[in-house]
Amino acid sequence: GAGVSQSPSNKVTEKGKDVELRCDPISGHTALYWYRQSLGQGLEFLIYFQGNSAPDKSGLPSDRFSAERTGGSVSTLTIQRTQQEDSAVYLCASSLGPESGAQGRGSLDNEQFFGPGTRLTVL
Amino acid sequence: QKEVEQNSGPLSVPEGAIASLNCTYSDRGSQSFFWYRQYSGKSPELIMSIYSNGDKEDGRFTAQLNKASQYVSLLIRDSQPSDSATYLCAVWNDYKLSFGAGTTVTVRA
């Protein structure tokens, strides 16, 4: 299919270990987003990429979290020294590219499509 | 005040009825609004986007936007058991989506 793909689909790790989560966006989408959804919680924004740069890292919950994107395509979210509170579903989304301007004038370019997510469990 | 608020639900409707979902947002400058459907254990699926005041219809779904009242709604006509899911309202703010907590809809056969 041509949708957003994420791997692994499930990851179980021990507290203190590092994990890497991967996202492959829809071909041609320049914008890529990471969100987190904890059990019983809403979707929480983590980071946004336009091309390879990350203009907005404001949602990363701590310095243990980092992300990169290379070649304007695949992105990796890395969590170092995982903690139990990191357990959640990590969702990646992509869009054609945000409409210029902070408020987004209203454009199909702003439509974000989500991947299936990675369920992370920290024991 | 939360950026995006939805009626908490759960909402139970009989098959064939209209399900009405409401959402309010705090940033008066927001211009792009979306409804996502999320089945249990699955990721959100975009079902509607709306940018202008008024109604937008797509099949059995109608989105309504009133920017003056900072209000977005979603109507599901002729509800089917397959519509049973959590519906998330999302508002575009500074390149990211802010989501409501979601309204869980159950359609009774």
Side-chain angles (χ1 to χ4, degrees):
Chain A
V4 178
S5 60
Q6 292 187 245
S7 61
S9 55
N10 280 284
K11 177 72 177 179
V12 180
T13 190
E14 294 179 349
K15 178 181 173 182
K17 300 285 190 182
D18 297 352
V19 295
E20 283 190 355
L21 311 179
R22 175 189 167 105
C23 172
D24 200 341
I26 293 171
S27 178
H29 281 194
T30 63
L32 185 148
Y33 311 80
W34 284 98
Y35 295 85
R36 177 170 74 172
Q37 189 171 36
S38 303
L39 189 62
Q41 302 293 315
L43 275 144
E44 173 190 8
F45 168 81
L46 298 178
I47 188 170
Y48 148 67
F49 286 93
Q50 179 56 42
N52 291 335
S53 64
D56 189 347
K57 304 179 182 179
S58 63
L60 293 178
S62 77
D63 59 8
R64 296 186 294 105
F65 287 72
S66 63
E68 64 176 13
R69 188 181 186 195
T70 55
S73 182
V74 171
S75 175
T76 302
L77 177 68
T78 300
I79 309 173
Q80 295 178 310
R81 305 181 302 282
T82 51
Q83 303 294 310
Q84 288 182 333
E85 61 263 28
D86 299 334
S87 295
V89 176
Y90 289 81
L91 291 159
C92 175
S94 70
S95 69
L96 282 170
E99 181 71 20
S100 59
Q103 299 305 331
R105 293 195 301 275
S107 165
L108 293 176
D109 290 357
N110 296 348
E111 292 185 346
Q112 296 185 20
F113 299 91
F114 284 85
T118 294
R119 182 175 298 278
L120 174 66
T121 303
V122 182
L123 302 176
Chain B
Q1 180 187 6
K2 292 183 182 177
E3 291 185 51
V4 183
E5 299 207 42
Q6 296 183 242
N7 44 342
S8 57
L11 180 64
S12 179
V13 298
E15 186 173 358
I18 296 175
S20 177
L21 307 172
N22 302 319
C23 172
T24 57
Y25 59 94
S26 60
D27 188 339
R28 184 169 291 278
S30 298
Q31 297 290 328
S32 300
F33 308 89
F34 307 91
W35 284 98
Y36 286 83
R37 177 175 62 197
Q38 187 172 26
Y39 292 114
S40 180
K42 301 295 185 182
S43 62
E45 173 192 7
L46 179 65
I47 56 171
M48 288 288 283
S49 57
I50 188 166
Y51 309 107
S52 304
N53 280 329
D55 295 358
K56 178 181 177 182
E57 186 174 319
D58 184 359
R60 295 184 296 109
F61 298 102
T62 299
Q64 300 173 317
L65 174 61
N66 183 325
K67 292 181 183 177
S69 301
Q70 295 173 240
Y71 174 88
V72 192
S73 67
L74 180 71
L75 298 177
I76 308 173
R77 293 185 303 281
D78 187 23
S79 295
Q80 301 297 309
S82 60
D83 296 326
S84 298
T86 297
Y87 291 81
L88 303 169
C89 173
V91 178
W92 178 276
N93 279 305
D94 294 335
Y95 308 105
K96 63 182 179 286
L97 291 176
S98 295
F99 285 86
T103 300
T104 298
V105 174
T106 300
V107 180
R108 308 188 304 271

